[in-house]
Structures are given as structure tokens and as C-alpha cells.
Amino acid sequence: MRRTALLASATLLTALLPMTTATGASGADDPAPAPVDRFEGEVPFANPPAEGVFTWGSDGDDPPTLRLTARADAPEGEKVLTGSYDISGYGGFTHDFAFAEPAHDWSAHQGIRFWWEGRDNGKKIAFELKDGGANGEASELWTTSFTDDWTGWKQVEIPFTDFTYRTDYQPVGGIDQVLGLTETWGYALTLPVGVQGDFAMDGVELYGRADQSLRAAVTTDAAVYPVEEGGTAAVRLTVATTGAAPLDEPVTVAYETAATGTAEPGKDYTPVTGTVTFPAGTPSGATRTVAVRTLADKRAESAETVPLRLTVTGAKPPAETPQVVVDAHGLPYLNARLPVGKRVADLLSRMSLAEKAGQMTQAERGALTSPGDIAAYDLGSLLSGGGSTPTPNTPAAWAKMIDAFQLRAQATRYQIPLIYGVDAVHGHNNLAGATVMPHNIGIGATRDPALAERTGAVTAAEVRATGIPWDFAPCLCVTRDERWGRSYEAYGEDPALVQAMETVIQGLQGRASGADLKDDDKVLATAKHFVGDGGTAYGSSTTGTYTVDQGVTKVTRQELDAVHLAPFRTAVDRGVGTVMPSYSSLDIAGDGQGPVKMHARADLLSGVLKDRLGFDGFVISDWAAIDQLPGDYASDVRTSVNAGLDMIMVPYAYKDFHATLLDEVEAGRIGERRIDDAVSRILTQKFKLGLFEKPYADTGGASAIGSAGHRAVAREAAAESQVLLKNSGVLPLRKSQKVYVAGSNADDIGNQTGGWTITWQGASGEITQGTTILEGMKRAGGDVTYSKDASASTDGYDVGVVVVGETPYAEGVGDVGNGNDLELTAADRAAVDTVCAAMRCAVLIVSGRPQLIGDRLGDIDALVASWLPGTEGDGVADVLYGRRAFTGRLPVTWPKSQAQLPINVGDAAYDPQFPYGWGLTTLSHVPEGGAATLRGLRAAAAVAERAGADEAGRALVGKARLIVQQKVGQAVTAAVAKPFAEADHLLLTGRYAKAVEQLTAAYRAASAPPHSQPSE
């Protein structure tokens, strides 16, 4: 699903920020303004670490252009800073102070002001301060905004108290999350998105005197205080000051319980009123506690709220009025001993339509305009998109963040917990330091269902230990065209292979009954994307510049069932808890509908998935996917919910969705029975997960995140995923050999892990903890020299290893034709040519899909499809140095040229570079034999098949396959490839005798003289 890091959405960012635009005269006793930037040339245009003004943006076109321009109307001096911009993603400019000199102390001033030439365009402009830390690029970011709603020059004054800590993005881990201003490293402006514009700015300066009411604040340790009936809530008040200085003057806090909540004073709680004082000289961080006692009446009740009104003198008050909440109690749905069905029925019978609509609404955590919206809209779910992480990005910070969200849900009438979701598609990949598995394409190459289950179990344990109970995985797409940017999210091109790897669902969820979901190492899984997203035709996408992703899948009903639907049938049998529809459209031959978006297909979502297959979990939409349906927003909501969607992922539009859903139900365009069905499905999974009993994070397993034990599983998966396509005696390497290593992907953990790692698109470089392939080779004891571009001398080496391939991408951004192809880069080709011309060489291709290598295949002695092996490069080194044998097999067909695409097992015309299922081995004992041996293996396979002896049957086919590959060598003709690939499909479907028959046909084709082979 599409996950745009919130940093890349300046529009969203500015919408989230409080706005202050003011002009005002300074007080008579204020100090003189302190200049920051006069823009007369005293501050250069320069990049860090030098002091200066520099620009930045999301891509090459987004940084603005800046100039110092002489203006007769300059508010200050003779010149002003001018610029022009046309930003599609995000962009702006920064003034960083010199890294090598001390930071500036701004703590004595009230705020910052500057002259801005208004264009009256109504656009918000984010203004950001860099505070604390080591330097301008390793500091905390504090932000606010102003709106350009005037014409001509105006002085904009922003008190420092208006700046808030950025929660959507921080360049480093949290420093102290206090705007100290004693170490200020500069400021930045983020310019408007989606409009061409010019700006002019002048005279940045500090103004005013920082009186105590501006630099002291009173906070509460929480906004919500749940307490059992009859218990006492302790509300802790803390005073903090800018710069952590002691109070100059007393701060008083008058408090009283307000009768505006749902609890009744004197009956549900004892009213309290009073004052606490923090005398002058009180150190910053001092606390006082106010106790609110609740009363027990032993009646079954829903939760009730008691606001505690605070009036602060001498300091800034808390942003919210804290609420004491008397927990719901005595109601049947709270009884964990009752069957889940009865609990659901009881709770559903009590809920209002608005509460039900809230349960069907999922928002992105960074898009909440206020944390209180969780209770105000009775939200059922939040998610983190790719790159939407807390600061710092640590397990503890994740748990703390999600617990804070869950706490807000406790302020609702029935205290229905949130279900928090995340795209942990190859490990807990949003979390820095987590164990990152090979992407699914590599797991498919292992042909090891037990290992797939173990990778799922590691992922579930790491995800749940950070407080997240729901994973948007696995992707059960059947990739039929490697030009698709999501190819690596698939286990392979054969539905039988995808079905075999669905053991991952048990790794994530445990038993199919859902009985293990409440455990602290299991999560709810999501089968996605229903249905046919791997079959979209090249050129059929209408999303931006995508060519394949989110396009149209044209199939017959039989093809739909056999290829694309089959994995979901298996997922339902395995008890998967949620299903996510595809962005793509389905065009079924003969149904007369033409292409219809999957989010609108009631015939498949309700008719097939829920009714025919018996799916009893809930359907969650993809990221803002209903926006792609034809018609207005009300039509989008009505169509998708009536089609069978139960929860709608509306990352930024949760308020609009909630209101629209209510309108549609009240107007009778969506039936209440459909709403009740959706909410019942959602509540069922929440009860199964044990969220009502344990809504907060159980961090007992956090110490295992990224642990040696978890990484050992990822290392094994990386090793088993390596597919040896060619080997002329080069592999395995020997530790005694001098090895020359080159290539762009040999020493890059970001390229090695691919997309969906830390951020949505992933990134090159040291983005997380792990071992690169080069590091793994060194740790294996190899005598290794590295030259990325092969520019170092190649003399004196025994063998070369060149690691090349792709850089990260995700979804349609990676589509071929959307700025991508299947060719190696010029630098990679040069590295291969240089090394392979100088010595015997092995080439490893680190990529999410096959790369076209045929023109160089003759010069390469060994070729390995490494896929995207994850964080454990040791696993790749294990097979390179023979610690483990190569056993991986191609999960997709490896084409000779792009003109062959799409090409898949079972095609009538099938002449690839390497067939589906191909994979040489470095086992020390490779089976030998010929036609007679194959006849014997076929007979034995038939016996095993009749007896249901699957393990024996698979072993017999495996022996036959190795015999055939040894015979074929590099002479992979069409006559060999077609039956060879078909044999692997037959093996996966349990037809062992037929599989050996097909392998025998491939053996005969390899044995026949070249002139006698049929042409395709």
C-alpha cells in the first residue's frame, strides 16, 4: 500500500501546525532587537558545515532559487532575500550557523520576527527553529507557521511559545524535547506546495524580553487518567522553563473538578478544588499532585469522565484540560470468560451509530489534528505509514507513542481499544535496528515453508513488542510481469508457490482459530491485495506516471480462480484475520462490466471472499484507495462500504469520512445491517487480540528485537534465498583465495534491504543496523579487497566477486517505464566488465526482480540471484564460502530480454534465460544418473504420491531435478526450459510422478543433438 513519508508532505505539515501572524510594538522596557539576518551579504549562500543559507527539496526541481536583491523598498538596509519556487513534494531554505563555533543563545528574547512581502495567496509557510544538539543538522526541530494573506511588506512576529516540537520528523533521536533556546543553530522555512511563486524576506531579528509567562509552562503527565470505580486518580502537575532556569516568580495553579463531564459529582466522584503553588526559585521540572477520588456504587456502567479545570498564573497552561475517567465496569462485553461472539453482541447493542462509524475509521497517526480526536471521533484504528515513526525511532518510543494513543481511547464511553497497524512486510521494517528479512521474492526462492513460518514468527514478536498488534502482511500477489514495481513483494509467479509460503500466516498469527492472537508475540495478519494485483497489464495504470501498478488485470473467470484467487482461499483456510483489497481494477471476460476498481467490487469482496470462501475477519481498505473510485466523496464511501469494506484507511480524511458515513447511513443509502456486520468483524478481532484486557504495549519481548537469535533466522533465510544460476567451478570460494570485491551493492545495507525499509521507498546507505555482503565475506574469514567501481588494480587476485543490481523503490515508483528498466547501470556494467576480464568472477545481482544479463553471461563464471536479502549479509557469505550449500530456486522466470515480458511458467511460448525453478547447488554429493535413474525415480515418486508421503515425494523430485540440471549445464533451450519449469509447478501441487516425467522430458531435450530440437 502507498505510504508517503510525512516529511514529503509539506501541505500536511503546515496544516498540522499552529499559526501565529502578528505585528506589534515592543514594550518600552524591552531590549533592543538582536539582528539575525540582514541579507546585505553578511551571510553567504553555503552548505553545512559552513555557516550560510542553503536550499533543499524532495527532488532536483523542488529546492527554490535564492538571490540577494537590491530593493528601494527594502524594510531594512538596501538588499532583501528573494526567491522563486515551484514545489511538487517539499522544499525550502535554511540558515545554519557555523558548526565549528558555539551555538547562539536566544533565551533572553520573547520571539523572532522578520519582514515578509505578502502575495495574499492564502498559503501557509512553515517556520522552523533548530535547537540543541551538536550542530545545525543534528538538532531538534521546533515549528510553527504563518499564513500569507496580505499584500506588500509586513513584519511577522512569532513568540517562541508558539513553536511546537515536530512529531512527524526529526533528523536525530530526541535530545531533550525542550525548547531551551540556549543553543540555537538556525532556522528554516518550508515553502508552499503546488503553486508557482516568488517571495521576498528581510530583517530577521530577535525581539522582546522573555518574561516568565512566556518561558515557563505547566504540564500534566497525561491528558487522560483512567481509574477503577472507587479508586483515586493522581494528576501530576509539572513546571518547566525555557533553558531549565529556576522560576523568577511564583506560579500558581488553581484546580477544580468540572461538572461538564459525564460523571455526576457527589455520586461518581468527590468534587475537589484548591490551589498549588510553585514558589520563586522552584527548579524546572518540579511537580505537584492533585488527587481526585471516585466513588463506588457497584452498578454496571459505561465509562464516565471528570474534567479537571486548571487555571495557571505566571506560566503557560497545559494544552488540554486533563480528564479523570472512571472505567467502564460490570458490563457483559468486559467479561473475558464469555465467548467472543457474546461479548461482541453485547457491545454492539450498546453503541451509537457515531461510535460504530468511528470503529470503521482508520487514520494515519501523524495526520491527527489533535490527539483528542481519537475520543472525539471514537476512532477504531490508527496506522503508521512507511517512514511514519516516533522520534527517536526506538522500540521504547514506539511503545510509548502507541500507549499514549491507547490512553486516549480510554476516554470513550465503552473504552474500545484502538487496533494499531503497520506495514511490517519483511520484518518490523519501519523500526531502526529491527531484524529485516529477505523480501518475499527471496523467501519464495527458499522453497522452505517452515522457514517462512519462522520469519513470520520473528516479525510478529518484534512488532508486538513495540505495542503493535496488526501487520499489513503478507502480500499474496502472484507476480506475472517483472516490470511491476511490487514484484519483490510476491513470493513468485506460480500460485502454488505463493500458497506453499503462506505458512507465514501461522508465524504471524499462530493457530488458525485465532487462539494465539492474545499472546505477546503474535499479531493479526493481512492477506493483500485482493485480488489480481500481480496481473495488471503493462501500460494500464492511470495513477500518475505508474505503468503497471494499480492498473487493470484482464482475466477469464477460470484464470482468476486458478491464479489470483487461489492464495486467498488458502489464507482464509489458515484463519487470516484481515484482507486488504487491491488498488487495481479487474476486467473479467464476459461479465459485461469492464474494468472495475477492486474497492468497488461487491461481487468479489462480499460474494466471493466473505460468502463463498467464508472469510470471517474484516476487510481493510488500502491507503486512501476509496478516493480512486469514480464519483464524489459520498459515492466513494457508499460504494466501498456497500461492496464489503469494513474499515476504511483514510489517512488524512478521517473527519470527512466519519461525517460522510453517518450521512449515508442516516439517508438510508448504507444499511445499518451492513454497518453492524462491519463493526462486529472489527470487534471480534480486537477481542481475539486481547486488547480489551491488555490495550497497552507488553514490552517484555523488546530485548529480543534485532537479537542474535532473530538475526540467525534472517541469516538462514538470506542463505536459502540465494539462487545459483551459473557456476563454472568458481563457487564456493575458499578462504585461502585472494578475492577482489566490487560493485554498487556489495557494501550498502540500504540497497540490500530494498524498499519498505525505515521509509516507504527505502534508501541507499547506512539506514539501519545489519551486515552488508562485503562485511559478511570479511567476517567469514575471506581475504577480501574492495573497490566499489573496480578502479583499484586487479592484479594478483584469484577470483572476483561483483555485487550489482538495483537501488530501492516501492510500488509503482519502481515500475519499468517509470524511470526504471531491467538493465544494470553503466557503472555496474563497467565493474562487471573490468573484473571479469581480469580474473575468474562471480556476479551477484541484488534486486527485487530479474535483471537482464544475457549479453555478459558468457564472460561471467558464476551468476547468483541474491534478491533483496535483508540485513544479514552473513547469510549471503555463508553460501559464497560454502558454510551452507546453494539450494535456492527461481521463484520467477528469468527472461532473456524485456521483449519477452510477461513470461511465466505454463506459457505456450517459453524460452527464457533461466526457467522457473532453476537453481544449481554446491552440495558436496550431487545425485548422478541418467534416463534409467529418472525412470526409477518416477516409479518411486508415484508410490510416494499414492501413499501421501509428501516428504519422500519432494525428495525424489529434488534428486531428479539435480540430475537434469547437471545434464543441461548452460544449454538451457526452450525445449529444456518448458518442461523443467512445469515440473516445479507440479512438485508444489503434490504431483510428484508427473513432475519427474517433465524433468525426464527436459533431460531428453538436453541430450538431443541441437539440430533435432524443436523450435518455439
Side-chain angles (χ1 to χ4, degrees), residues 433-455:
T435 307
V436 178
M437 302 291 170
H439 268 296
N440 286 354
I441 196 77
I443 299 297
T446 70
R447 296 299 200 281
D448 190 340
L451 180 58
E453 182 171 349
R454 289 166 60 206
T455 65

Side-chain angles (χ1 to χ4, degrees), residues 302-304 328 333 350-352 355 378 409 411-415:
S302 58
E304 297 168 314
Y333 78 90
R350 301 174 186 279
M351 295 170 68
S352 68
E355 288 166 329
D378 295 288
T412 59
R413 189 162 59 135
Y414 296 114
Q415 299 182 303

Side-chain angles (χ1 to χ4, degrees), residues 73-159:
D73 63 344
E76 190 277 332
E78 297 180 353
K79 296 179 181 178
V80 301
L81 178 69
T82 63
S84 57
Y85 58 91
D86 183 6
I87 300 168
S88 59
Y90 62 90
F93 62 93
T94 294
H95 178 184
D96 266 6
F97 303 147
F99 281 28
E101 297 177 14
H104 296 201
D105 186 346
W106 289 4
S107 63
H109 295 274
Q110 178 183 353
I112 189 167
R113 67 188 179 193
F114 49 89
W115 289 92
W116 187 266
E117 187 177 33
R119 299 296 197 265
D120 198 17
N121 56 23
K123 297 292 185 179
K124 287 188 176 181
I125 298 153
F127 192 96
E128 192 166 83
L129 297 181
K130 298 187 169 194
D131 180 74
N135 54 59
E137 297 304 287
S139 59
E140 285 185 344
L141 305 182
W142 291 77
T143 189
T144 185
S145 68
F146 64 93
T147 300
D148 186 337
D149 57 3
W150 70 90
T151 302
W153 287 108
K154 178 178 179 180
Q155 193 173 42
V156 179
E157 287 190 351
I158 307 177

Side-chain angles (χ1 to χ4, degrees), residues 551-555 557 584-598 600-601 603-604:
V552 179
T553 300
K554 292 187 176 183
V555 288
R557 183 70 66 177
S584 59
S585 299
L586 199 59
D587 187 354
I588 303 175
D591 73 354
Q593 297 188 65
V596 178
K597 284 282 187 181
M598 272 307 310
R601 292 213 67 138
D603 59 332
L604 286 161

